[in-house]
Amino acid sequence: MNNVKPIVGITMGDAAGIGPEIIVKALSRSAVYEECRPLVIGDAKIIEKAIRITGVSARLKIVSEPEQAEFSPGTIDIIDLNLLPEDTAFGEVAAVVGDAAYQYLAKAVSLAQEHKINSICTAPLNKEALHKGGHLYPGHTEILATLTNTEDYSMMLTTPNLRVIHLTTHVGLIKAIESITPERTYTVVKLAHETLKNAGIESPRVAVCGINPHAGENGLFGNGEEEEKLLPGIQRAQAEGIHVEGPYPADTLFFRAGRGDFDIVVACYHDQGHAPIKVMGIEEGVNITVGLKGGIIRTSVDHGTAFDIAGKNIADEKSMVVAIQSASELAPIWDETT
């Protein structure tokens, strides 16, 4: 067994938001270094400013390759892409900042594909800035899918008491329902099963939410979407030995999963899965991209850029700490001699 601590590449996200602050605060905790070797990918000038704003006692070490890093408490190692000026304004949408956030992520993916880092942890980006910067993606997940040429992927959210994976994410509700198919249901159930099995759960218990109120209640609500779009995929997974049940009414399923009846819930659309996660533990929520080619693991904080508090040293780093820990726990250990 390889006991080398994984290198977690931490992308800076949108520099106008709280990303730089929560990164600096998280890396002030020595416990982070006990679990992994953290490496920031971003702009050194912005991280230096975040160090001053937060009052964290740390020095910055600029490296061009991960092997040059120290990985020791008190030192923040960074690959400096040098894309932004030091006076980049907090709380403002800017094309150059959106483009930079994309470039940090692209660099991290390249390093992971080269097996120079073991996993990726992302600070939040701003979708409007991203689009103004010329990158027309709904968010991190879709960028990662494109950069890794991955078709079958999903967003998984976790808190200490609940895990949720999504059939659809950043699309309108009508389009989301239209895009659910038996194949997609099967694929996401299988991704959920495989992800938890790889994480050490021998026989994961998966449950699928209904699309309509009361999961359709035998045709009383909706137009038979559960029977048409969900059940065939569930039955196919069951035939392969996957422990999956449903579709169940969403209004009670999350409670059941929270008390331990299931290991993960399959949500049909964005808010169906996000709302209970954020109610049950937004400060410790983690966003995980599941199914990326090459075995790449990406985790993220489960909150946004928080422009309204950026630069004020009041952002809570707890979700970033948990996201780094998750990236460490799920990271594959590459053979560093290759």
Side-chain angles (χ1 to χ4, degrees):
M1 181 178 176
N2 194 332
N3 292 315
V4 175
K5 288 183 288 189
I7 299 176
V8 176
I10 304 169
T11 59
M12 200 176 76
D14 191 297
I18 61 173
E21 292 172 71
I22 60 174
I23 288 172
V24 166
K25 288 181 176 181
L27 296 185
S28 70
R29 300 192 184 194
S30 59
V32 170
Y33 290 82
E34 294 172 7
E35 299 186 28
C36 69
R37 294 177 285 169
L39 174 65
V40 180
I41 301 161
D43 264 69
K45 293 186 294 294
I46 305 299
I47 294 296
E48 283 276 18
K49 184 165 67 170
I51 290 173
R52 293 194 299 271
I53 289 170
T54 59
V56 165
S57 178
R59 72 180 184 91
L60 204 60
K61 180 176 181 179
I62 298 174
V63 301
S64 56
E65 296 291 339
E67 57 263 30
Q68 298 170 349
E70 289 185 17
F71 301 122
S72 61
T75 298
I76 297 176
D77 299 290
I78 183 170
I79 292 181
D80 181 20
L81 298 194
N82 193 26
L83 298 174
L84 300 173
E86 183 180 354
D87 62 357
T88 297
F90 288 111
E92 295 182 8
V93 174
V96 65
V97 177
D99 175 62
Y102 175 88
Q103 301 302 334
Y104 307 146
L105 185 60
K107 178 64 174 178
V109 169
S110 176
L111 290 170
Q113 290 172 327
E114 295 170 3
H115 291 184
K116 292 184 177 181
I117 63 175
N118 301 88
S119 58
I120 300 169
C121 178
T122 59
L125 52 74
N126 179 278
K127 294 178 179 62
E128 184 181 355
L130 180 71
H131 291 183
K132 284 189 173 183
H135 308 287
L136 303 180
Y137 295 92
H140 271 116
T141 304
E142 294 80 8
I143 297 172
L144 287 158
T146 298
L147 291 175
T148 59
N149 194 30
T150 302
E151 293 182 4
D152 293 332
Y153 63 91
S154 185
M155 176 189 293
M156 184 169 117
L157 303 178
T158 69
T159 69
N161 297 314
L162 181 65
R163 302 181 186 92
V164 178
I165 192 169
H166 293 69
L167 295 181
T168 67
T169 50
H170 296 115
V171 294
L173 184 56
I174 292 173
K175 186 174 180 180
I177 294 171
E178 290 175 347
S179 66
I180 297 172
T181 65
E183 181 67 26
R184 177 63 178 166
T185 301
Y186 164 77
T187 296
V188 173
V189 167
K190 190 171 182 180
L191 283 174
H193 170 81
E194 291 176 348
T195 300
L196 295 192
K197 194 167 184 180
N198 290 340
I201 299 175
E202 187 173 339
S203 182
R205 299 162 299 165
V206 183
V208 180
C209 283
I211 295 172
N212 295 295
H214 299 224
E217 201 163 308
N218 299 316
L220 183 62
F221 304 110
N223 297 300
E225 287 86 358
E226 282 76 15
E227 290 76 15
E228 175 190 347
K229 296 173 174 289
L230 302 178
L231 270 175
I234 293 169
Q235 292 167 347
R236 179 179 171 188
Q238 289 171 336
E240 295 182 7
I242 294 174
H243 184 165
V244 56
E245 299 179 27
Y248 290 136
D251 59 358
T252 54
L253 178 53
F254 291 103
F255 167 77
R256 295 179 62 193
R259 75 182 181 188
D261 292 2
F262 302 102
D263 296 302
I264 190 166
V265 173
V266 177
C268 294
Y269 50 89
H270 183 282
D271 285 11
Q272 188 181 61
H274 278 62
I277 283 284
K278 294 189 177 184
V279 167
M280 292 184 71
I282 189 169
E283 290 184 344
E284 295 180 277
V286 178
N287 182 326
I288 304 169
T289 305
V290 175
L292 295 174
K293 283 188 179 178
I296 295 174
I297 290 294
R298 172 259 177 171
T299 69
S300 178
V301 294
D302 187 31
H303 59 70
T305 50
F307 276 2
D308 58 324
I309 63 170
K312 299 178 181 179
N313 191 27
I314 58 177
D316 191 322
E317 75 276 17
K318 188 181 298 182
S319 185
M320 174 58 75
V321 172
V322 177
I324 294 171
Q325 291 171 337
S326 295
S328 176
E329 292 168 1
L330 296 172
I333 299 297
W334 315 121
D335 183 351
E336 296 186 7
T337 65
T338 61

